[in-house]
Amino acid sequence: MNALLKKAKSSPRALNREELTSLLLCTEPEELFRAAYEVKLRTIGKRVSLRGLIEMGNLCSKDCLYCGIRKSNCNTARFQLDEDSVIRMAKWAYDARYGSIAIQSGEIESEAHTALIERILLRIRDFSGGKLGVTLSLGEQTEEVYRRWREAGAHRYLLRIEESNPHLYAKLHPAGHDYARRSACLDLLRKLDYQVGSGVMIGLPGQTETDLANNILFFAEKDLDMIGMGPWLPHPETPMGKDFADTLDFRQKQLDLGLRMIAVTRLYLHNVNIAATTALQTLAPDGRERGLLAGANVIMPNVTDTQYRANYQLYTGKPSLDENSDETRQKLQASIRAIGEEIIWDQRGDSPRYFQRKEQL
Ligand code: 5AD
């Protein structure tokens, strides 16, 4: 294991599939996390970037078998924030010195929605003088839509592939959800010069360690700038979650696997942005901080008004549902300081990999 970690630390993309798998399964995860943290310190520093997360709406045209806001779930009240509310939350994040925001919603493809996002982007550029970083996470769209949003000021886009094994992908989604299109969307985003992020769910039923290693190879193949991934959590209102026995033991395993994936991804890709996601925090109060110590460098604190939070439950048990954005900010600041890391305020926190690729071209 020491030899493997040494090789992984010395240069990016140094391991093969079997070696990635053996790190994922290693018997000394603390050693793994330490090695990944070392690489994170070298490539990023003792620094954490924030993205104020605006959960803009839960209307969705997709019916993913794991997701709490899937189209067929009638037990969630649907909402959509209006333009002024999104701007107010974006301003809050800007004034709170977060440096960047991420706007996320269910997947909607319509001219009205495209134009709404475009107007919001232009207003954000206007009030922040182009200083506030904007990540979009609005699903599969046409090239034209991605282009309009890019031109209106979005510069990062997150689109999780969810699972890069097309056979497993097909089991997680109903007919009509098209793996090839999702993958092609990542290529379009790259072509349009976004910083491109993707990721997977970890610990899915039927997902093997080899699948997980292949997911990391997929991140490399797409040459992603940002990775956002987290453990799968069974949601009782979904086909995959409804009869699932959710035990303490299961949650422990999901957390552990989530941290291992972060660490091995850091060890393989070195200088990308990796998020410590809310799903980790759902499994343990200090889940995100443990994610940072396993190699992540981005946290996405919620800046959505408290009243809407309960309706944006992709999985149940989401933390901070009854907290306001001020409380979320204060708690986070304290917990990050407690692990000896430092938040970088007022900066976009772009992915170093993005600039390195541009230099190499
Ligand atoms: N457990 C964990 N993550 C989930 N997501 C959706 N449903 C679940 C779940 N049950 C994730 C998907 C999606 C992101 C916004 O939330 O990966 O891309």
Side-chain angles (χ1 to χ4, degrees):
M1 175 162 169
N2 278 341
L4 266 191
L5 291 177
K6 198 166 166 217
K7 181 153 92 166
K9 282 191 290 188
S10 65
S11 58
R13 303 180 188 222
L15 306 179
N16 63 31
R17 177 179 298 115
E18 287 65 39
E19 291 168 330
L20 291 171
T21 310
S22 78
L23 282 187
L24 285 168
L25 290 169
C26 74
T27 50
E28 287 159 289
E30 293 307 327
E31 294 281 311
L32 173 70
F33 301 155
R34 224 186 332 269
Y37 190 66
E38 228 178 89
V39 174
K40 185 245 165 184
L41 287 187
R42 205 170 65 217
T43 53
I44 313 269
K46 248 184 184 338
R47 293 142 57 98
V48 183
S49 298
L50 302 183
R51 324 273 177 245
L53 177 64
I54 301 175
E55 295 168 337
M56 189 177 157
N58 63 0
L59 298 162
C60 194
S61 63
K62 292 288 192 82
D63 218 11
C64 307
L65 304 181
Y66 45 83
C67 184
I69 65 166
R70 64 197 300 267
K71 184 171 62 177
S72 302
N73 182 7
C74 307
N75 290 327
T76 187
R78 300 287 165 171
F79 76 97
Q80 161 90 62
L81 298 182
D82 62 22
E83 191 178 320
D84 287 343
S85 303
V86 177
I87 295 298
R88 179 170 46 74
M89 293 169 198
K91 278 196 177 133
W92 188 93
Y94 184 66
D95 293 338
R97 307 182 53 209
Y98 281 9
S100 272
I101 56 164
I103 301 177
Q104 188 173 82
S105 83
E107 298 201 16
I108 305 167
E109 290 190 73
S110 76
E111 174 53 33
H113 183 247
T114 302
L116 168 66
I117 299 296
E118 203 170 30
R119 286 197 302 277
I120 287 170
L121 290 168
L122 291 170
R123 283 178 67 181
I124 291 172
R125 183 152 72 188
D126 198 40
F127 83 68
S128 75
K131 285 213 274 298
L132 185 64
V134 184
T135 307
L136 297 180
S137 178
L138 304 169
E140 295 166 30
Q141 303 286 343
T142 62
E143 178 169 354
E144 189 47 35
V145 171
Y146 288 145
R147 178 175 296 113
R148 280 169 64 183
W149 291 345
R150 180 81 182 89
E151 283 169 4
H155 60 111
R156 293 194 281 247
Y157 204 101
L158 278 177
L159 181 72
R160 287 191 183 176
I161 194 72
E162 311 297 359
E163 165 54 53
S164 72
N165 172 346
H167 300 292
L168 185 50
Y169 183 92
K171 289 192 189 143
L172 307 171
H173 300 96
H177 288 34
D178 184 1
Y179 175 86
R181 184 188 188 212
R182 206 164 179 85
S183 171
C185 280
L186 291 173
D187 303 332
L188 285 177
L189 291 162
R190 164 58 36 73
K191 181 174 134 189
L192 294 167
D193 199 30
Y194 281 91
Q195 291 176 46
V196 183
S198 189
V200 295
M201 282 175 294
I202 302 159
L204 288 158
Q207 187 184 48
T208 64
E209 268 75 20
T210 307
D211 288 323
L212 289 174
N214 283 333
N215 283 330
I216 296 175
L217 293 170
F218 175 90
F219 302 158
E221 185 191 307
K222 292 285 186 195
D223 199 358
L224 298 174
D225 304 301
M226 325 175 301
I227 312 292
M229 57 189 170
W232 168 67
L233 298 162
H235 187 302
E237 304 284 349
T238 64
M240 275 170 57
K242 74 174 177 336
D243 295 320
F244 194 86
D246 191 357
T247 59
L248 219 61
D249 186 45
F250 167 76
R251 296 172 83 82
Q252 194 56 47
K253 283 203 179 105
Q254 292 298 85
L255 177 63
D256 174 64
L257 200 54
L259 296 173
R260 285 168 185 253
M261 267 299 273
I262 289 177
V264 180
T265 301
R266 173 65 70 201
L267 283 165
Y268 193 63
L269 297 177
H270 283 209
N271 61 352
V272 295
N273 279 347
I274 303 179
T277 55
T278 315
L280 290 175
Q281 193 192 1
T282 304
L283 291 168
D286 62 346
R288 290 183 306 181
E289 291 75 12
R290 288 166 71 179
L292 295 176
L293 293 173
N297 68 307
V298 172
I299 285 192
M300 300 168 71
N302 206 334
V303 300
T304 316
D305 289 353
T306 315
Q307 68 184 111
Y308 300 109
R309 294 190 185 191
N311 288 324
Y312 200 83
Q313 294 202 58
L314 311 173
Y315 40 81
T316 43
K318 258 181 79 177
S320 318
L321 286 183
D322 54 2
E323 236 173 60
N324 68 36
S325 302
D326 263 319
E327 290 165 334
T328 305
R329 182 183 195 269
Q330 276 164 23
K331 278 194 187 171
L332 191 62
Q333 202 174 351
S335 70
I336 289 178
R337 198 173 290 146
I339 59 165
E341 289 268 314
E342 198 186 313
I343 293 175
I344 33 179
W345 301 105
D346 293 320
Q347 284 178 45
R348 287 180 174 209
D350 288 321
S351 166
R353 174 64 194 159
Y354 174 81
F355 298 107
Q356 184 188 42
R357 181 181 331 97
K358 297 215 128 185
E359 267 169 31
Q360 286 168 352
L361 283 178

